[in-house]
Amino acid sequence: MTPTSECIRVLGIDPGSQVTGYGLVLASGEKLQGVAYGAWRLPARRPLPSRLLALYNAIGEAIAAFRPDEVAIEDFYVGQVRAAVTIGQVRAMALLAAAQAGLPVSLYRPLEVKRAVAAYGLGDKAQVAAMVRMLLDLPQEPAPADAADALAVAICHCLHLRARLALGLSGESER
Amino acid sequence: MTPTSECIRVLGIDPGSQVTGYGLVLASGEKLQGVAYGAWRLPARRPLPSRLLALYNAIGEAIAAFRPDEVAIEDFYVGQVRAAVTIGQVRAMALLAAAQAGLPVSLYRPLEVKRAVAAYGLGDKAQVAAMVRMLLDLPQEPAPADAADALAVAICHCLHLRARLALGLSGESER
């Protein structure tokens, strides 16, 4: 986000081992708008390479369709090594698709995302969907939960951009 | 490998958090030939997305140049979650590039690779390079070690294909 831009489009992505959520948020001044959201489910029966390819293609199509200015990805903590490998692979699809599109990418840890959204109200992780609904003034809570998480990441990034702008820092968001 | 094919080209890949090795092995009957090998080092100072993109491009170029029939990737055990995420991301580049090229992909655990190579002689992991050199009749040990590991994965896959062929099983290698 450059200081002159009035509106910025942030694509939030929440990588998961089975379901990966996405959500597009438009930030314009103080206003946040949730434009689109959803989730991709990896077809469980197909071999890993073609599952990753399908996800990679889906993310690329979303970038082409939504034309985000920036991408924000939920960093994560997983306790088990095997899950970490799987989610690392899924996250790599988002990182690669963003890099190929030449978009700045930011990673936010779950706690950062929670804090950003909770600053407006509730703090319970289970209520992220309710907070996202309120913040984006959506008619209903976004579903599935992965989509709500992805919107929360996008919101988190918008707030970080705004704070950086307020501090007169560079718009560079690559971390 | 179909029962009628006389020669098969296997690209072995050993994903690492900093260095990823590759090696091309041609299997023809009982003969194994090491055609090319090397390693890609991720430029440490660049941000993660562009590092992954660079690796993805390098693997894609290797597939285009070497025209392998199959890809074999070393599966791995890492004790730490953070390392697992990183190597998961690196491995995803290999999986994706192979899937995009429509190539069958096989994953082998380090112990499987070691056993396959050790069947011909030594068993010490530190001596993989020496075993690979002997098996492929190379003038010198392949370096760096990551390249030797990648050649070992390719050799492991060639031996599995041969065993499958001898048992009259399908040539399908997707695991």
Side-chain angles (χ1 to χ4, degrees), chain A residues 25 30 40 44 49 71 77 86 105 120 124 140-141 145 148 157-158 171:
Chain A
V25 172
E30 289 296 310
W40 300 293
V71 175
Y77 175 75
T86 305
V105 180
Y120 283 79
D124 187 337
Q140 58 197 23
E141 290 185 8
H157 185 54
C158 290

Side-chain angles (χ1 to χ4, degrees), chain B residues 82-144:
Chain B
R82 180 149 289 281
V85 172
T86 304
I87 300 188
Q89 289 174 166
V90 168
R91 188 171 81 169
M93 296 301 104
L95 292 167
L96 178 66
Q100 285 184 315
L103 299 175
V105 180
S106 300
L107 293 167
Y108 294 98
R109 295 206 184 87
L111 188 61
E112 290 179 281
V113 176
K114 191 176 158 185
R115 273 192 195 133
V117 184
Y120 282 78
L122 308 167
D124 187 336
K125 181 175 165 45
Q127 292 180 293
V128 165
M131 294 185 279
V132 165
R133 180 193 171 185
M134 188 182 70
L135 285 169
L136 300 180
D137 198 20
L138 297 173
Q140 59 199 20
E141 290 183 9

Side-chain angles (χ1 to χ4, degrees), chain A residues 47-50 52-53 56 76 78-82 84-85 88-89 91-93 95-96 99-100 105 107 109 174, chain B residues 47-50 52-53 56 76 78-82 84-85 88-89 91-93 95-96 99-100 105 107 109 174:
Chain A
L48 176 62
S50 73
L52 289 176
L53 177 58
Y56 165 78
F76 48 86
V78 275
Q80 293 180 323
V81 166
R82 182 150 288 280
V85 172
Q89 289 175 165
R91 188 172 81 167
M93 296 301 104
L95 291 168
L96 179 67
Q100 284 185 314
V105 180
L107 293 166
R109 296 205 183 88
E174 211 125 35
Chain B
L48 177 62
S50 73
L52 289 176
L53 177 57
Y56 165 79
F76 47 86
V78 277
Q80 293 179 323
V81 166
R82 180 149 289 281
V85 172
Q89 289 174 166
R91 188 171 81 169
M93 296 301 104
L95 292 167
L96 178 66
Q100 285 184 315
V105 180
L107 293 167
R109 295 206 184 87
E174 209 126 31

Side-chain angles (χ1 to χ4, degrees), chain B residues 12-26:
Chain B
I13 297 179
D14 178 38
S17 57
Q18 299 190 325
V19 180
T20 290
Y22 67 88
L24 183 70
V25 172
L26 266 63

